[in-house]
């Protein structure tokens, strides 16, 4: 968890109807291990509970690599039994000679349950772009998830993470139905 990483300006307070309070969150990562930490801030009262996912990436300031990732457009609707796809870009900041690096990937929920993990060796010249496609098991609960990429260059790790939700499958049937009706109307008016 984030114990020791995060200090809140208030851990408990009461608001009356219409009131607001600023909550200051301080992050302290000095002396902490590199990695991606997942946690939740829980806001609750007697009738209401809301969990806000928190992702904290801690990485070496000596890293010679920058890692970025974005979802592939055809995999934006993520659902149990479907697929998740991400494009990963790795940039070498200093070395122009090819780097042999280790790539590690995982997809997890905010309770620490991993539903996918993979490792591979990569060669990065000035930059490298790869795609990862993950099959989401049918039994995967709907909710908040994160896809984490870790690139290890001789013991110095660079991380990136992508937050997303697994939800209901969006249906395209309704679009096709309306398209069919429009086509029939156009034909009838001709």
């Amino acid at each position: 968890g984030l114990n020791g990483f995060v200090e809140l300006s208030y851990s408990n307070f009461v608001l009356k109807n219409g009131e607001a309070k600023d909550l200051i969150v301080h992050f302290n990562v000095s002396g902490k291990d590199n990695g991606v930490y997942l946690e939740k801030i829980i806001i609750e009262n007697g009738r209401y509970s809301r969990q806000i996912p928190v992702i904290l990436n801690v990485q070496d300031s000596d890293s010679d690599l920058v890692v970025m990732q974005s979802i592939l457009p055809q995999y934006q609707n993520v659902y149990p039994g479907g697929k998740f796809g991400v494009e990963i870009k790795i940039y070498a900041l200093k070395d122009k000679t090819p780097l042999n690096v280790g790539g590690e990937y995982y997809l997890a929920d905010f309770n620490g349950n991993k539903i996918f993990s993979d490792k591979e060796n990569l060669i990065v010249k000035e930059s490298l772009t790869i795609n990862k496609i993950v099959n989401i098991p049918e039994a995967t609960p709907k909710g908040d998830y994160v896809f984490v990429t870790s690139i290890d260059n001789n013991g110095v790790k660079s991380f990136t993470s992508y937050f997303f939700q697994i939800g209901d499958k969006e249906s395209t049937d309704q679009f096709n139905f309306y398209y069919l009706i429009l086509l029939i109307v156009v034909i009838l008016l001709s």
Side-chain angles (χ1 to χ4, degrees):
L2 294 176
N3 291 338
F5 283 95
V6 177
E7 181 182 313
L8 302 175
S9 56
Y10 304 96
S11 61
N12 248 328
F13 55 89
V14 176
L15 295 175
K16 294 180 183 171
N17 193 18
E19 286 186 328
K21 184 177 266 315
D22 290 333
L23 180 65
I24 300 171
V25 181
H26 296 277
F27 294 96
N28 179 10
V29 296
S30 61
K32 304 298 181 186
D33 290 335
N34 293 338
V36 176
Y37 298 87
L38 307 176
E39 196 56 67
K40 298 175 242 176
I41 295 176
I42 301 170
I43 301 170
E44 61 187 356
N45 68 19
R47 297 173 282 138
Y48 174 84
S49 180
R50 167 107 189 209
Q51 296 183 3
I52 301 170
V54 177
I55 303 169
L56 184 62
N57 291 348
V58 179
Q59 42 194 350
D60 227 324
S61 59
D62 297 335
S63 179
D64 293 343
L65 299 171
V66 172
V67 184
M68 299 185 306
Q69 58 191 15
S70 58
I71 195 164
L72 293 167
Q74 63 269 36
Y75 298 106
Q76 288 184 343
N77 179 355
V78 185
Y79 53 90
K83 295 180 185 286
F84 171 79
V86 66
E87 178 183 71
I88 302 163
K89 294 182 180 184
I90 306 165
Y91 298 96
L93 298 177
K94 297 177 185 171
D95 278 325
K96 299 301 177 196
T97 59
L99 300 172
N100 187 7
V101 300
E104 291 186 40
Y105 320 92
Y106 69 86
L107 192 153
D109 65 17
F110 279 77
N111 295 318
N113 301 311
K114 291 184 181 177
I115 63 171
F116 165 84
S117 64
D118 189 22
K119 292 182 180 183
E120 65 184 337
N121 291 319
L122 304 166
I123 296 177
V124 179
K125 294 182 182 174
E126 292 182 16
S127 66
L128 176 66
T129 300
I130 57 175
N131 292 338
K132 286 289 174 189
I133 311 298
V134 178
N135 291 318
I136 306 297
E138 285 282 348
T140 304
K142 296 173 187 171
D144 297 330
Y145 289 82
V146 65
F147 186 87
V148 175
T149 297
S150 170
I151 304 297
D152 186 332
N153 181 21
N154 293 319
V156 179
K157 292 187 177 183
S158 298
F159 299 93
T160 187
S161 56
Y162 185 85
F163 171 80
F164 67 99
Q165 293 183 326
I166 294 179
D168 292 325
K169 181 178 180 179
E170 290 180 4
S171 174
T172 57
D173 295 342
Q174 186 177 20
F175 171 77
N176 292 338
F177 177 72
Y178 289 126
Y179 181 73
L180 180 62
I181 289 176
L182 179 63
L183 183 62
I184 291 171
V185 169
V186 169
I187 291 171
L188 290 175
L189 293 175
S190 299

